[in-house]
């Protein structure tokens, strides 16, 4: 007999009755606020073309590296799951997922998926080997209907605005198509882009020199001279801003920044665009460019996001056979105190600049990031990120950040996902955890309930809009 | 309408009824114990001269870098707050503070200030833009009365003893004046000093060579020869001890220690007192001097405190314009295992020596400090420090330290503050959090309540007296 | 009047009534499951010879470095405690322990000892100065009875299987004797060994070259040539497996691994078996051998355990006077991301290989280990280890590991102890804490109770059996 699938209205609230009652009241006021998604990785093509999503496995299993990395960790081959393998029968891959759904107990993926199953698709029995085909068929059928096309889901999910992330080499055609649909009244959804220049900033990025060639073409500047390269950035940033972008995003292995004199930077640029690039030069150039990008943000008003600290593609065999973003990126211990000083020394006192900093190294929360953000006007703290975007991860974030940085140096929630259907679930988890955290402060008489209610709305909605200028 | 200001009698206790009831009982027995403040930064001149404190901004805003750094982090200029700016109208600065008091929600500063407002000044409405002038006027008026002079507050706060912190270059005139007042029966308050030799131990300290010149004059030794330098320390330590000091204090960027042979130390001393000092030599000399100071403590009985791990003056523009101690000191990742080995290898087995170690790097609590303090007879653990002197910080300290080091390798609470009026609030927070932590142990049947009651008194009072020989 | 000694049936459960009720139900189902002890340091000679244990101090104080290091940290000389001092009167040493039992408040040692006192020996008054002799006499008397001989306790404790840990230089005579007793029907207890090759893998181990000589003799291979050395390992591993071993164990200062080409390894081997060994060569050889051992495990099926990150013998004076394992081993900050990459790059994708990784650096839980184990098929996470084998340590382990790695990349509990009498207490603590952790997930509606019940049995029993192939 399949087990019932129930989403408790009290899920994720503290079980202490005093705290739970307060959390319920706080949550009630924010549960239905619109979703502001200022950073993520959904595909703008979905909203431009509005084509139906495929089958259950294609939508929910193949693109979700949280899901397939866990299955892989228990010895299930990626091939059998249909990862980069068109020969796999999707229903069979789905059955492997279903039969191993117990592996996700205690993980956020389990909570997100259960929300998608119950709320998006209306299931009332649990996902398991026994219900695998029921799930596969009903989901696949639903996806063929108009109600499950991307724009309909966007509207149904109450998304006020969503940001995607594109490289400067992207022509933003999908965003243009969405804008046309907006202007014609065909669809009102707001989908903006963000400027993520890693492919033309990181000399170790695949195809860096080809990327610079394309960067030149798109910008009409000579991106192989340092002056032209900087002009090309200014040009593309302006184009992105015109297409709605309010932010940039920078994914670097470390948080290193540097602030080189122009002439030194010019010489370094010549080296990193040359034939052989040393690891030290690549790191120094990335470090320098973070400071350059902060300067450009001060000029053009784009909010700057920094996402450092992942060792990308840790598993060489997997990378060779399946490529990047397959669940093999591993966080590293990351220094911020020394690393950020060149950038903060140059621009940290600018109250008109917003730098939103993320970390994969939770040890820096109370030790480095809260003290930095609790001092520098330009610095704000991004929410608990990636592996830490989870109930316990969010609790650690709040309990380690707040006492030094307060709530107002944080910026609300980011879903940061390409798993479109899980977006409401992710925001809901964040709202519930924040309400529970606030409820504890109220129950311990560290804050009045009216203050917690103001904060609940700020953390769920207002801070993200303000910090990202949305 | 202003909101009421209420300090709940249950504040900071766990909200679980079983734990809260136990916490209440434990706290009741320790709430009124006298305050022992074995380490801090109050100004002995206050107690020597007993002059009234100035206006509200001068007393509560200008000297408190916890407060103005948070305001600054949100874009409020320090000039407007009256920091190093005599042109700022204090009432206007105070209004900026009042209008942004929501920034402190969830921070310890908020709790300390609310205590000062409610308990020291008797307010029953919350501090806000609306009540700013009411607060400013009533506080400023109160400060002009005898009841709010330093000695009266000292007595009212139930302070049994307070230690200030002075450099060897200080003549301790204020302490002498206080002693005279004590001896004449004019005032009974016990105010002692502590020996903080950083200005003559750290070759990178501002004016190091001038400091050695003054060190020579005060000690009557030639502090420019290594032998004379050591003799000067012995001389000034003896003078400090005679003036009541029971401890020394050492604020170093790292926890590095070294134990050089005399001849090598002599050569190093010649280098660091020369024209140009390398960073490596400066670090080695500081490291060596920690071991030398431990040796002197073994001789003269002064308890040794080590406060390592802050990157001082991280913001160069701010330092240039506003000087040190302006909220721009940032904790760093700090190693203890290797760093302390030279010192502990030499003196760690001395049961007659007490070294009290603090950290700004909480990751060392369970990993390094509890195992070290749970083994070496000479080593004790200072309480949660600075950024971590907060409800959650204290909970992390106890839950990560106790299982390996026990309670009896810790030394009770330090307020470590120059914010005199907040001292009772800070001790009260520590007592409440410790009682709550103990209550959890009792409620989970990990300890009997009579044991928790003994511990509550030890953590609130007895351990500090014993460890600091007060 | 002595205080009563009571073990509450609810000890270590959360005190929140909703969570406690669930925890009670979960615990009830696992409390009496047999003990599987897949890794530890009991002496196989106890079970081979079945001689009675000596007096109270000999059994419970002298071998337990958790106990005497805490007493030592408070200034009690090891000599007085009878550590390496046959002149100490055991009853007097025991009195020192009794009189200082308050030092253990809040530590796991206290809980384990109270269990031993109450459950193994039937005391109902608390251990203290007042009851010291009562305890000493009753325990010492009991130990002389048949009911307290090693095999009787093994049976009474419900141990299904226990693994000891031996070096390749051990002849496993005790295990042979136990096997004989098993085969003759004299005794049914299952005691297996584990292969811990540190003395012949670590060039800095005391007597490394002598060890290789003995290794050659025992294996019949020339362990001074690299080829012979590898063959000697294969030979001894096979012998250990034949004697019941299902695992190997590797205690290294760091987690460094390397994967050298054969010719390079051969040259390195020649250097580290030569007269002078550099620290870098020693580290590289240990690193390389971890990868070699993983390869052999893939061949012979032995599960591989890695226990890295302890700075051994931190206190030189203590080491000189009392030797190793005297409570002076201190955890260090440990990198895994870079360190394990050579090994995982070579063997991490092997679903048929099991590597169980432990850490003394809790900061790696959420940052490095959960992401690694949540991806690589070969990698599993050992339980909270050594200093972290404690209620709060286990809670941190679960709350920081589970969201990324799930429960099924962990392997249940290890007691890892030589304190035989405390083994049931240690497993009981783990079961209670796990049930409490699961109860919180259920009470917060993050998991159904039937799932928690399955997990409680898995964490208490099934996962250890499966992971260690028992």
């Amino acid at each position: 007999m399949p087990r019932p699938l129930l989403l408790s209205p009290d899920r994720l609230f503290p079980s202490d009755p005093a705290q739970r009652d307060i959390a319920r009241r706080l949550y009630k006021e924010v549960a239905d606020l619109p979703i502001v998604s200022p950073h993520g990785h959904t595909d703008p093509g979905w909203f431009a073309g509005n084509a139906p999503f495929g089958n259950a496995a294609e939508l929910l299993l193949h693109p979700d590296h949280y899901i397939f990395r866990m299955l892989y960790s228990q010895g299930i081959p990626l091939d059998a799951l249909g990862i980069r393998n068109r020969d796999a029968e999707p229903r069979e891959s789905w059955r492997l997922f279903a039969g191993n759904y117990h592996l996700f107990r205690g993980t956020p993926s389990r909570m997100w998926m259960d929300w998608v199953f119950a709320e998006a698709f209306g299931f009332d029995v649990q996902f398991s080997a026994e219900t695998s085909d029921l799930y596969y068929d009903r989901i696949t059928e639903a996806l063929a209907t108009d109600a499950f096309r991307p724009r309909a889901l966007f509207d149904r999910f109450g998304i006020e605005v969503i940001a995607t992330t594109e490289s400067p080499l992207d022509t933003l055609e999908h965003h243009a198509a969405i804008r046309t649909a907006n202007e014609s009244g065909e669809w009102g959804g707001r989908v903006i882009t963000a400027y993520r220049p890693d492919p033309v900033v990181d000399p170790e990025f695949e195809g860096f020199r080809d990327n610079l060639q394309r960067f030149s073409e798109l910008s009409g500047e000579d991106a192989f001279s340092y002056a032209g390269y900087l002009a090309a950035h200014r040009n593309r940033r302006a184009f992105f801003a015109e297409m709605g972008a309010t932010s940039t995003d920078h994914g670097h292995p470390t948080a290193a920044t540097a602030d080189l004199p122009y002439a030194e930077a010019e010489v370094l640029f010549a080296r990193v665009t040359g034939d052989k690039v040393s690891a030290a030069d690549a790191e120094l150039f990335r470090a320098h460019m973070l400071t350059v990008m902060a300067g450009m943000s001060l000029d053009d008003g784009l909010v700057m996001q920094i996402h450092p600290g992942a060792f990308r593609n840790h598993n060489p065999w997997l990378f060779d056979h399946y490529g990047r973003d397959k669940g093999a990126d591993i966080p590293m211990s990351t220094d911020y105190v020394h690393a950020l000083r060149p950038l903060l020394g140059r621009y940290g006192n600018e109250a008109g600049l917003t730098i939103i900093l993320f970390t994969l190294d939770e040890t820096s929360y109370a030790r480095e990031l809260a003290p930095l953000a609790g001092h520098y006007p330009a610095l704000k703290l991004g929410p608990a990120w990636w592996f830490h975007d989870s109930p316990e991860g969010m609790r650690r974030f709040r309990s380690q950040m707040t006492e030094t940085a307060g709530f107002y140096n944080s910026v609300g929630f980011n879903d940061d996902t390409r798993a479109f259907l899980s977006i409401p679930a992710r925001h809901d988890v964040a709202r519930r955890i924040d309400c529970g955290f606030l409820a504890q402060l109220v129950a311990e008489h560290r804050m009045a309930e009216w203050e917690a209610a103001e904060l609940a709305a700020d953390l769920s909605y207002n801070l993200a809009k303000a910090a990202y200028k949305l």
Side-chain angles (χ1 to χ4, degrees), chain A residues 290-364:
Chain A
L290 281 182
T291 307
V292 168
M293 288 284 123
M296 290 190 190
S297 277
L298 192 60
D299 291 341
D300 64 18
L302 293 178
V303 169
M304 182 178 190
Q305 299 172 92
I306 307 177
H307 282 96
F311 188 124
R312 302 275 173 181
N313 310 312
H314 191 270
N315 187 332
W317 174 85
L318 194 93
F319 180 68
D320 291 346
H321 290 77
Y322 298 93
R324 46 165 66 222
D325 297 328
K326 291 297 172 293
D329 299 338
I330 311 292
M332 294 179 288
S333 180
T334 304
D335 161 67
Y336 294 92
V337 181
H338 303 91
L340 292 178
R341 199 170 183 237
L343 191 161
L344 292 174
R346 177 79 177 267
Y347 294 118
N349 293 291
E350 298 287 350
L353 174 67
T354 301
I355 300 168
I356 300 174
L357 182 63
F358 296 79
T359 190
L360 291 174
D361 180 356
E362 293 177 309
T363 69
S364 63

Side-chain angles (χ1 to χ4, degrees), chain A residues 98-313:
Chain A
N100 287 284
Y101 197 53
H102 65 284
L103 299 178
F104 296 91
R105 287 171 182 163
T107 72
S109 292
R110 160 68 184 275
M111 282 187 313
W112 300 329
M113 292 306 298
D114 273 0
W115 185 94
V116 169
F117 294 153
E119 294 290 319
F121 293 103
F123 287 102
D124 58 7
V125 291
Q126 221 183 73
F127 186 48
S128 67
E130 190 183 359
T131 61
S132 179
D133 285 0
L134 172 74
Y135 264 69
Y136 186 85
D137 291 333
R138 199 194 292 176
I139 290 171
T140 303
E141 276 162 38
L143 294 180
T145 65
D146 284 348
F148 283 84
R149 288 186 187 242
R151 291 180 181 177
L153 289 172
F154 186 106
D155 295 341
R156 174 179 160 196
F157 288 167
I159 297 174
E160 182 174 309
V161 56
I162 198 167
T164 64
T165 305
E166 275 76 38
S167 125
L169 308 181
D170 195 293
T171 53
L172 305 185
E173 282 161 4
H174 294 311
H175 290 84
I178 296 165
R179 175 174 289 194
T180 301
N182 288 165
E183 286 167 357
S184 73
E186 181 189 323
W187 185 53
R190 186 174 170 207
V191 179
I192 62 178
T193 184
Y195 187 75
R196 170 105 168 200
D198 302 0
V200 294
V201 158
D202 179 1
E204 296 177 323
F205 207 94
E206 295 97 298
F208 177 62
R209 298 218 308 189
D210 293 344
N211 296 344
L212 291 186
Q213 182 57 43
R214 180 82 181 126
F215 198 36
S216 302
E217 291 159 19
L218 285 168
S219 64
E221 304 283 350
D222 172 14
F224 288 93
S225 81
Y226 185 56
Y229 174 77
L230 296 180
H233 274 294
R234 278 190 213 99
N235 175 292
R236 296 304 285 167
R237 290 172 67 108
F239 174 62
F240 272 59
E242 192 192 308
M243 294 302 291
T246 69
S247 68
T248 71
D249 184 27
H250 308 271
H252 285 207
T254 74
T257 66
D259 185 17
L260 303 177
Y262 189 89
E264 260 181 59
E266 205 167 16
V267 170
L268 175 64
F269 181 77
R271 285 207 305 274
V272 299
T273 53
D275 270 350
K276 275 206 172 171
V277 183
S278 73
D281 274 355
E283 177 72 354
L284 182 59
F285 186 70
R286 288 188 298 258
H288 173 68
M289 283 305 296
L290 281 182
T291 307
V292 168
M293 288 284 123
M296 290 190 190
S297 277
L298 192 60
D299 291 341
D300 64 18
L302 293 178
V303 169
M304 182 178 190
Q305 299 172 92
I306 307 177
H307 282 96
F311 188 124
R312 302 275 173 181
N313 310 312

Side-chain angles (χ1 to χ4, degrees), chain A residues 51-106:
Chain A
F53 293 111
N55 60 51
E58 254 179 78
L59 177 65
L60 298 175
L61 171 57
H62 296 170
D64 192 336
H65 56 70
Y66 287 73
I67 298 293
F68 63 72
R69 70 156 179 78
M70 179 68 92
L71 297 168
Y72 183 67
S73 80
Q74 289 279 315
I76 299 169
L78 292 182
D79 284 352
L81 295 168
I83 308 305
R84 293 235 176 159
N85 175 23
R86 286 163 190 260
D87 294 342
E89 167 59 41
R91 182 182 297 273
E92 291 303 323
S93 299
W94 186 255
R95 283 178 183 161
L96 280 171
F97 179 21
N100 287 284
Y101 197 53
H102 65 284
L103 299 178
F104 296 91
R105 287 171 182 163

Side-chain angles (χ1 to χ4, degrees), chain A residues 400-419:
Chain A
Q400 292 175 30
M401 285 293 202
T402 306
E403 294 184 316
T404 290
F407 289 100
Y408 292 95
N409 284 307
S410 70
V411 302
F413 181 64
N414 281 187
D415 55 69
D416 196 9
T417 191
R418 65 198 77 219

